[in-house]
Amino acid sequence: MTRTDVPSATRPGLRDQAARYALLPLRIFLGVTFVYAGLDKLTDSAFLSASGPGSIGELMHGVRDTSAIPALVDWALLSPVGFAVVLAIGELLVGLGVLAGLLTRIAATGGALISLSLWLTVSWQVSPYYYGNDLIYLMAWIPMILAGAPYLSLDSLIRSRRSRRTA
């Protein structure tokens, strides 16, 4: 049976293809953004300082009294440089995982948790709320948590290899 012999209702069309790959632009955007954010933090010596202009310490002290959860900021301030390194490595791993589509739902959950913690601390005081970018990132992670990376991903490659073994 050739493609023209298949009834149009069962033939995959442009709309079906678009739906199939709808999350790919979001996945690429979030992955690249988080890889960039992690690398930017890891290579910024000013950011990786406990104090001084542009440091994680200065940032945390600046948002402490306006955050939704000051105790979270206090916890980060116990070791601001350690916190900054963990945050940067977390962003890097989340970004790489989402880009590769490896353990995508887990990586997306990590991204959502990072975005949630930044929203509740760093961008909580932004008014009106929709000017703050961390809440938007949090919402952008939700489709990735729900759907994962079903196409063009290591997750889908692993799934297809497993199904071939069991068949």
Side-chain angles (χ1 to χ4, degrees), residues 38-113:
L39 289 175
D40 189 46
K41 287 174 178 68
L42 289 173
T43 58
D44 185 350
S45 59
F47 182 78
L48 293 176
S49 299
S51 61
S55 69
I56 185 68
E58 180 182 89
L59 174 68
M60 290 285 115
H61 282 293
V63 300
R64 196 251 175 234
D65 293 333
T66 58
S67 72
I69 307 175
L72 190 59
V73 178
D74 292 338
W75 177 74
L77 282 169
L78 293 175
S79 177
V81 176
F83 174 76
V85 169
V86 168
L87 174 63
I89 290 172
E91 287 173 334
L92 187 58
L93 291 174
V94 163
L96 290 172
V98 168
L99 280 174
L102 181 62
L103 303 172
T104 309
R105 285 186 169 111
I106 294 169
T109 300
L113 290 173

Side-chain angles (χ1 to χ4, degrees), residues 122-146:
V122 177
S123 61
W124 182 256
Q125 78 285 354
V126 175
S127 180
Y129 77 92
Y130 50 83
Y131 284 165
N133 62 350
D134 295 311
L135 178 59
I136 295 165
Y137 281 105
L138 173 61
M139 294 298 115
W141 283 115
I142 292 172
M144 298 301 305
I145 293 169
L146 296 173

